[in-house]
């Protein structure tokens, strides 16, 4: 998600970049996206292993649990996600040579990947199922856009921060608004009462996630106001690079807490 959003939203909109630099950054983004797509595929294998391990009767071979799992509707979503991951990797690799066609292919690969968490998580069991799945997909897209784009700005965009950060800011603000709205709706859907936020493990884990996210959002807002005017000077760029790196790390902490949250019973 980050690679596609970075290519079109940040590099594409950073008007002050010449064509050669733009192509160079886009190629670097395509390499990072290939590696990230590999990570997605490994993650999907891990998810299947965990699911099979949960299905397995004590003492039975794991292969038996796999063959049961592969006959379920869960496996249909999983195969689609695997196909999406492969398409994402191929598209990102093609993007290094054929920019537009490659990124379009990569974007197509993202479609099954953004609905997979909802289809295999709590949203799939919600009362208004399609609304919940739709909001979940928007949440995942916003999360991937924000954290993935920020990651690429930090990882490969450092020499051009003065031009990339102004193009990144509206994407970050839009993603954060979408995350808060869809996240608040999902939280209320799963918990449904004020007391549930404090009295259940799920509620407390969600509050921890919101607290860490609040720190990141605050950091982002302060940086935007304080450091953006200093961009372009060596000191200003260094300070922005450091603080964006910290934001990215804290974003990983939000993802870690989310990984625990989605495994808890609401
Ligand atoms: C106010 C901010 C946020 C709130 C209230 C919120 C709330 C939630 C809730 C309630 C869920 C559903 C968990 C479940 O299925 O049981 C969720 C899932 C998720 N959140 Fe957030 N979230 C917020 C911000 C973020 C941020 C900043 C990120 C990324 C860094 C993020 C990434 C995710 C991901 C990847 C999922 C998994 C979706 C799934 O498994 O279906 N969220 N969030």
């Amino acid at each position: 998600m980050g690679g596609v959003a970075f290519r079109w939203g940040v590099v594409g909109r950073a008007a002050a970049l010449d064509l050669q630099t733009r192509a160079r950054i886009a190629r670097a983004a395509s390499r990072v996206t290939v590696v990230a797509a590999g990570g997605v595929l490994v993650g999907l294998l891990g998810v299947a292993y965990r699911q099979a391990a949960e299905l397995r009767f004590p003492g039975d071979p794991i292969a038996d649990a796999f063959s049961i799992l592969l006959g379920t509707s869960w496996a249909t979503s999983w195969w689609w996600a695997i196909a999406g991951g492969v398409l994402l990797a191929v598209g990102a690799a093609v993007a290094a040579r054929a920019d537009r066609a490659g990124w379009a292919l990569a974007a197509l690969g993202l479609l099954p990947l953004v609905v997979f968490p909802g289809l295999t998580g709590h949203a799939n069991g919600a009362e208004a199922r399609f609304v919940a799945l739709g909001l979940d997909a928007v949440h995942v897209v916003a999360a991937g856009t924000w954290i993935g784009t920020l990651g690429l700005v930090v990882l490969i965009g450092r020499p051009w921060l003065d031009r990339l950060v102004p193009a990144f800011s509206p994407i970050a603000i839009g993603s954060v608004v979408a995350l808060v709205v869809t996240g608040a709706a999902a939280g209320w859907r799963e918990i449904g009462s004020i007391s549930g936020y404090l009295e259940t493990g799920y509620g407390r884990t969600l509050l921890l996630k919101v607290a860490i996210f609040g720190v990141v959002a605050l950091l982002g807002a302060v940086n935007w106001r304080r450091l953006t005017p200093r961009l372009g000077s060596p000191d200003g760029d260094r300070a922005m690079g450091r603080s964006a790196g910290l934001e990215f790390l804290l974003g990983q902490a939000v993802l870690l807490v989310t990984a625990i949250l989605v495994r808890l019973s609401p």
Side-chain angles (χ1 to χ4, degrees), residues 26-71:
R27 273 198 303 279
S30 81
R31 283 194 292 274
V32 176
T33 308
V34 172
V35 175
V40 167
L41 288 169
V42 172
L44 284 170
L45 293 178
V47 168
Y49 181 83
R50 188 203 64 208
Q51 200 73 14
E54 282 177 359
L55 259 182
R56 180 190 194 182
F57 290 107
D60 277 2
I62 189 87
D64 288 0
F66 264 115
S67 53
I68 297 172
L69 183 64
L70 291 179

Side-chain angles (χ1 to χ4, degrees), residues 117-118 122 136 139 143 146 179 183-184 186-187 202 206 209-210 213 254 258 262:
H122 292 133
D136 194 86
H139 196 72
W146 171 61
L179 276 167
Y202 184 94
L206 179 55
K209 171 178 167 164
V210 171
F213 175 62
V254 175
T258 302
V262 296

Side-chain angles (χ1 to χ4, degrees), residues 82-101:
I82 289 279
V86 171
L87 205 59
L88 177 64
V90 172
V94 169
R97 288 169 187 277
D99 187 51
R100 277 174 184 276

